[in-house]
Amino acid sequence: MAIILRFVNGNEILTELFFAIKSVSDTTSLNLKNQISDVLVRFNIQVQNIRGQGYDGANNMRGAWNGLQALFLRDCPYAYYIHCFAHRLQLMLVSAARDVADINSFISYLDNVINMITSSPKRINELKSSQKKEIEHLLEIRERETGSVANQIGNLQRAGGTRWSSHYNSVKSLIDIYAATCKVLKYLSDHSPNVRTRSEVDGVYKKLTTFEFVFILHLMRRILVIVDVLC
């Protein structure tokens, strides 16, 4: 849990600074409140002087009765809650995009691709193996640069409703390892143990390799990268 303080300094300039980071195993609203309060008290900052609090839209954070913001509001009636503007902007972009039928269909298929690969440790290993072979081949023919972090093996990233930059990460992760993902799905469609699984994988593979899917994949990356810098 990262704690950021936003305040007006002695020169009347609005300032936002990273203040502390806490390791928390329990993310219930009450435990988060106790952890934050402990940090503030340690530096002689009074909870009663809080004039605002901002989080994402998860229930344990914004819940009207038992969310973190509600617990602080009981101690300090001026600690008004604001849903993170950057998070809201990203949610708005995703929501607006989903109102377009083709993009809504794309997001559903993207989820299917990621779930199909990441639901099995064996398939994840096959994806990593495919990436390794592809990187080695590109290095061999000198179509890929060498460097300390240039050729890391990645994984597909799921999008989450309360992790506001995760939709961009999800799209970008597929672009980065698109070829390897296609190879794994093609292999699964040819070698899955039963007809039903082969049919499901083959349907996802065919959709993944259409012009429309690839076009929207890159379009969404261009849209979402605009707000990713706010993270």
Side-chain angles (χ1 to χ4, degrees):
M1 175 176 64
I3 301 174
I4 311 295
L5 293 188
R6 183 178 172 89
F7 58 94
V8 177
N9 66 16
N11 296 321
E12 299 185 359
I13 297 174
L14 186 62
T15 306
E16 189 173 274
L17 294 175
F18 169 78
F19 191 66
I21 188 166
K22 292 276 291 184
S23 176
V24 290
S25 57
D26 178 6
T27 57
T28 60
S29 56
L30 181 59
N31 183 61
L32 294 179
K33 177 180 183 293
N34 291 336
Q35 297 283 352
I36 294 173
S37 297
D38 288 345
V39 172
L40 297 180
V41 169
R42 193 184 317 147
F43 291 92
N44 198 30
I45 298 176
Q46 304 301 317
V47 172
Q48 290 75 13
N49 292 331
I50 294 176
R51 292 297 180 269
Q53 43 181 331
Y55 318 111
D56 62 26
N59 287 333
N60 64 326
M61 307 302 281
R62 72 169 183 176
W65 303 107
N66 295 310
L68 179 59
Q69 65 90 15
L71 298 181
F72 271 122
L73 203 57
R74 291 170 194 167
D75 292 344
C76 181
Y78 301 107
Y80 299 114
Y81 163 67
I82 299 295
H83 185 173
C84 169
F85 284 114
H87 184 203
R88 289 164 65 181
L89 176 60
Q90 203 268 355
L91 291 176
M92 180 276 295
L93 285 175
V94 173
S95 178
R98 280 186 175 274
D99 280 342
V100 180
D102 288 339
I103 294 182
N104 186 55
S105 176
F106 159 80
I107 293 175
S108 296
Y109 273 105
L110 177 61
D111 290 340
N112 286 341
V113 169
I114 294 173
N115 290 333
M116 190 167 286
I117 297 293
T118 60
S119 62
S120 165
K122 183 179 179 181
R123 293 178 182 179
I124 292 175
N125 288 333
E126 289 173 353
L127 179 63
K128 292 181 178 180
S129 176
S130 179
Q131 288 181 71
K132 183 179 178 181
K133 292 177 182 178
E134 180 185 359
I135 291 171
E136 290 174 347
H137 172 67
L138 292 175
L139 288 173
E140 185 178 343
I141 62 176
R142 297 183 178 179
E143 289 194 7
R144 190 157 185 153
E145 295 181 359
T146 59
S148 58
V149 295
N151 298 296
Q152 291 184 335
I153 293 176
N155 196 10
L156 296 173
Q157 304 293 318
R158 284 192 178 96
T162 58
R163 291 179 290 117
W164 70 268
S165 64
S166 63
H167 290 85
Y168 170 72
N169 292 333
S170 181
V171 169
K172 184 176 181 297
S173 71
L174 180 56
I175 291 175
D176 290 342
I177 54 176
Y178 178 82
T181 303
C182 288
K183 288 179 181 177
V184 171
L185 289 175
K186 179 60 176 173
Y187 175 83
L188 292 174
S189 69
D190 294 337
H191 298 89
S192 293
N194 58 72
V195 175
R196 181 178 178 182
T197 302
R198 285 199 300 272
S199 177
E200 290 177 352
V201 175
D202 188 57
V204 172
Y205 170 76
K206 288 180 178 178
K207 182 67 177 181
L208 180 67
T209 53
T210 62
F211 171 82
E212 290 79 6
F213 184 93
V214 175
F215 177 85
I216 296 176
L217 180 68
H218 286 271
L219 174 66
M220 289 303 294
R221 181 184 181 278
R222 290 200 169 203
I223 292 173
L224 296 177
V225 75
I226 296 170
V227 296
D228 184 65
V229 69
L230 300 174
C231 180

